[in-house]
Amino acid sequence: MAKRQMWDHMRQVFQQAVNAVHPEKIFVDFNSFDLRPKERDQRVYIKLDGQEHDITGKTCHVVGFGKAVLGMANKVTMDLGQLLAGGVLSVPVNSLQQFKQPICDKLTVHEGAPNNLPDETALKAAQAIKKIAENMMDKDVLFVFISGGGSALLPLPRPPLTLQDKRSIADKLMKRGASIQEINTVRSACSEIKGGRLALAARQACMLVTFVLSDIIGDPLELIACGPTIQPSGVGKSTAEILRKYQVWDDLSAEVKQIFEKPDQQQDAFANSKVFVVGNNVIATAAAAHEATQLGYIPCVLSCSVQGDVSSVAADYQRLLHVIQEFKQQTINQQQLRERFAFDERRFQDFCRALEQHMMTKAPLFIICGGEPVIKVIGQGLGGRSQHLALLMSQMLHRDESLGGCTFLSAGTDGIDGPTDAAGAIGDSCVIDAYLASHTLDELAEVLRNCDSYNFYKQLLDGDYHLITGHTGTNVMDLHFLVVP
């Protein structure tokens, strides 16, 4: 199979995986969730995760924040009809333009947080959302829609912190390689609304219903958008420990340090709070595997929990490709293959079956991984973890001639990789061949040192190896595809 066809197929598989976790689809079939009020015996019911709930005489309200909430919330508001009093959403800039569908006139939509950075518009939205929660009474039901990107779209700093303080702290943590779990732990501590505080504000409501589209490995509810409706578990590193670990602590004023040193008051659990994870990376990778099969590949989902620095992830993928090659050449047996398998042990048997089928049928092997690596930004360039990983993989595949036939794609399911308009990029030896036609290896090394992967791909063959989708309207972390011919 020609390389260009493989690249087209990888793009197609990515699109189908994203479509599978598109928010509107979650509430379309009505099998698990049906928010259309049903009258029976003079009572009114809705269905949540297959269970009927009586909302007779109740008034419904909607709030939401994140890159993927617009489609979900709009569908549900339309379904609720006359029972809906109104709602407020905080979504990324240009979401309405890209949505291209009528918006329920009872919804107020704030578009903010350009480049995933909290701004005054997002702050106003957060204030409006908290006000709705505080106004809840026992006749009210509050529906909360949460997805990735919700942290930046729901900024409400705890005094004396300012919005700029919050941005500065998060920016330093990101550039110094903190995990999304660590960053969101700190964000929660900085906020008047995150870390369960939105639920606390809505404690007078009859029922609080949270729908979550997960963008974090393992779906830890208190960390997704910093868990505004989730009571913190208190498990894990403290905020002060994380800030010290990444050398941010000493940059803070004594007044700000006091916020992080003072333990939070214990919150009472909300008695009638229901939380549903309606989409995640597992669903996306399964859809990718299905589409790859339709296109004639042998798919194998290796992991939905890829994390760590992108350079380590690239090294893991290189070792995996070598192990596959050695097994195909019969220079190692299955036991040796197992010993060198660096991914989830529970996936090993599936991996072996796919590998044997690949060898027997000669059909290309399509390896699928999901997760959220990190990148330590050390230069002044422009890029994101998916584009940087794709460029590292390109360099590796070019250097290692034995793997030259393999190809790679890395992209964020939200369509936005870092502060750029690209979702990700192709990783291939051909990428480096094209670059070296008019540049040197030293210049390539400088691009990587400067973390300038976006400009590298944008300027190379008119962006031919870039993956540009625009905001997809969903967000379930990143997808990585490796094709072995």
Side-chain angles (χ1 to χ4, degrees):
M1 190 181 293
K3 279 280 183 76
R4 185 158 291 280
Q5 188 178 19
M6 288 183 189
W7 300 335
D8 289 343
H9 285 169
M10 287 195 295
R11 293 174 190 271
Q12 185 175 332
V13 170
F14 177 78
Q15 191 58 57
Q16 290 305 312
V18 168
N19 289 348
V21 286
H22 205 275
E24 291 156 77
K25 290 198 171 182
I26 295 158
F27 297 95
V28 160
D29 61 14
F30 304 118
N31 289 330
S32 297
F33 299 95
D34 190 349
L35 280 296
R36 298 171 300 177
K38 299 287 192 300
E39 289 192 38
R40 190 173 68 249
D41 300 328
Q42 297 185 319
R43 309 299 294 175
V44 178
Y45 299 89
I46 57 172
K47 186 165 67 173
L48 300 173
D49 201 24
Q51 301 283 317
E52 280 196 333
H53 292 268
D54 189 338
I55 59 166
T56 307
K58 303 296 185 248
T59 303
C60 298
H61 308 261
V62 165
V63 298
F65 32 91
K67 297 175 183 177
V69 302
L70 183 56
M72 286 193 290
N74 193 55
K75 175 71 172 68
V76 167
T77 55
M78 298 288 196
D79 288 346
L80 285 168
Q82 294 303 310
L83 292 187
L84 179 76
V88 173
L89 302 181
S90 182
V91 300
V93 172
N94 295 327
S95 294
L96 289 170
Q97 182 185 340
Q98 296 194 5
F99 190 58
K100 296 176 182 171
Q101 291 183 37
I103 300 292
C104 175
D105 58 11
K106 293 180 180 178
L107 281 178
T108 300
V109 182
H110 298 265
E111 293 185 293
N115 296 325
N116 209 28
L117 295 170
D119 64 350
E120 291 296 330
T121 301
L123 177 63
K124 286 176 186 172
Q127 290 166 338
I129 286 169
K130 189 174 184 186
K131 187 173 182 181
I132 287 177
E134 289 172 337
N135 288 337
M136 292 295 99
M137 304 298 288
D138 61 4
K139 65 176 179 58
D140 295 308
V141 177
L142 181 61
F143 292 97
V144 181
F145 294 87
I146 299 177
S147 77
S151 293
L153 288 158
L154 196 73
L156 199 57
R158 294 170 72 183
L161 283 167
T162 64
L163 198 58
Q164 186 53 45
D165 290 333
K166 281 192 70 176
R167 282 180 59 160
S168 175
I169 290 168
D171 188 53
K172 286 174 183 175
L173 289 170
M174 277 186 264
K175 288 185 173 176
R176 293 172 193 181
S179 69
I180 189 65
Q181 290 87 342
E182 290 171 320
I183 293 168
N184 281 4
T185 297
V186 174
R187 282 171 169 161
S188 291
C190 291
S191 176
E192 289 272 82
I193 198 168
K194 293 166 183 156
R197 296 181 184 93
L198 180 60
L200 197 62
R203 61 189 176 276
Q204 300 298 326
C206 161
M207 184 164 62
L208 176 67
V209 182
T210 304
F211 296 111
V212 179
L213 197 66
S214 172
D215 69 330
I216 301 184
I217 291 164
D219 307 336
L221 295 174
E222 68 181 273
L223 293 179
I224 299 165
C226 304
T229 60
I230 310 299
Q231 189 171 11
S233 66
V235 175
K237 287 193 188 83
S238 72
T239 303
E241 286 174 322
I242 294 166
L243 293 169
R244 287 190 178 100
K245 178 181 174 182
Y246 294 100
Q247 290 87 49
V248 180
W249 185 256
D250 291 340
D251 298 341
L252 305 175
S253 69
E255 204 178 12
V256 168
K257 285 178 184 176
Q258 273 190 324
I259 296 174
F260 302 131
E261 287 173 326
K262 197 167 44 180
D264 263 356
Q265 291 182 333
Q266 190 63 32
Q267 299 172 20
D268 293 330
F270 195 124
N272 205 10
S273 174
K274 304 179 188 309
V275 182
F276 305 102
V277 176
V278 292
N280 58 19
N281 195 261
V282 174
I283 295 169
T285 54
H290 176 77
E291 184 66 16
T293 302
Q294 300 298 108
L295 292 170
Y297 295 87
I298 308 298
C300 179
V301 178
L302 272 196
S303 175
C304 294
S305 56
V306 172
Q307 52 193 320
D309 189 82
V310 286
S311 57
S312 299
V313 173
D316 284 342
Y317 287 147
Q318 182 177 18
R319 282 190 288 271
L320 174 67
L321 291 174
H322 276 297
V323 165
I324 291 170
Q325 190 178 57
E326 289 173 39
F327 188 74
K328 286 168 67 173
Q329 293 168 350
Q330 299 184 335
T331 56
I332 61 171
N333 58 31
Q334 192 170 107
Q335 181 56 37
Q336 291 167 311
L337 182 67
R338 179 188 287 272
E339 289 166 1
R340 292 168 62 182
F341 186 72
F343 295 85
D344 190 338
E345 177 66 21
R346 293 168 296 180
R347 307 270 186 174
F348 182 71
Q349 290 306 320
D350 292 339
F351 172 62
C352 286
R353 279 192 290 271
L355 191 50
E356 286 166 5
Q357 197 178 352
H358 161 64
M359 292 166 65
M360 185 173 63
T361 63
K362 308 301 182 190
L365 184 64
F366 199 106
I367 294 167
I368 300 162
C369 291
E372 191 155 274
V374 296
I375 177 174
K376 292 180 182 175
V377 179
I378 53 175
Q380 299 301 312
L382 184 62
R385 60 178 178 262
S386 284
Q387 293 164 91
H388 196 82
L389 177 58
L391 185 50
L392 287 173
M393 290 296 292
S394 297
Q395 184 187 48
M396 179 274 287
L397 293 169
H398 185 263
R399 283 175 173 170
D400 196 333
E401 291 183 7
S402 66
L403 304 177
C406 302
T407 194
F408 177 78
L409 179 143
S410 174
T413 54
D414 59 354
I416 305 298
D417 182 38
T420 77
D421 61 0
I426 299 288
D428 196 287
S429 59
C430 298
V431 171
I432 306 302
D433 285 334
Y435 183 76
L436 292 179
S438 55
H439 297 83
T440 66
L441 285 171
D442 286 343
E443 287 175 302
L444 174 62
E446 182 57 29
V447 168
L448 283 165
R449 268 196 302 272
N450 203 30
C451 296
D452 200 25
S453 55
Y454 174 79
N455 288 315
F456 172 92
Y457 277 105
K458 184 178 182 180
Q459 293 163 13
L460 185 65
L461 300 182
D462 294 324
D464 203 28
Y465 299 106
H466 242 157
L467 183 61
I468 310 270
T469 63
H471 278 290
T472 61
T474 190
N475 185 17
V476 292
M477 300 188 288
D478 300 344
L479 291 173
H480 302 158
F481 302 150
L482 259 176
V483 177
V484 181

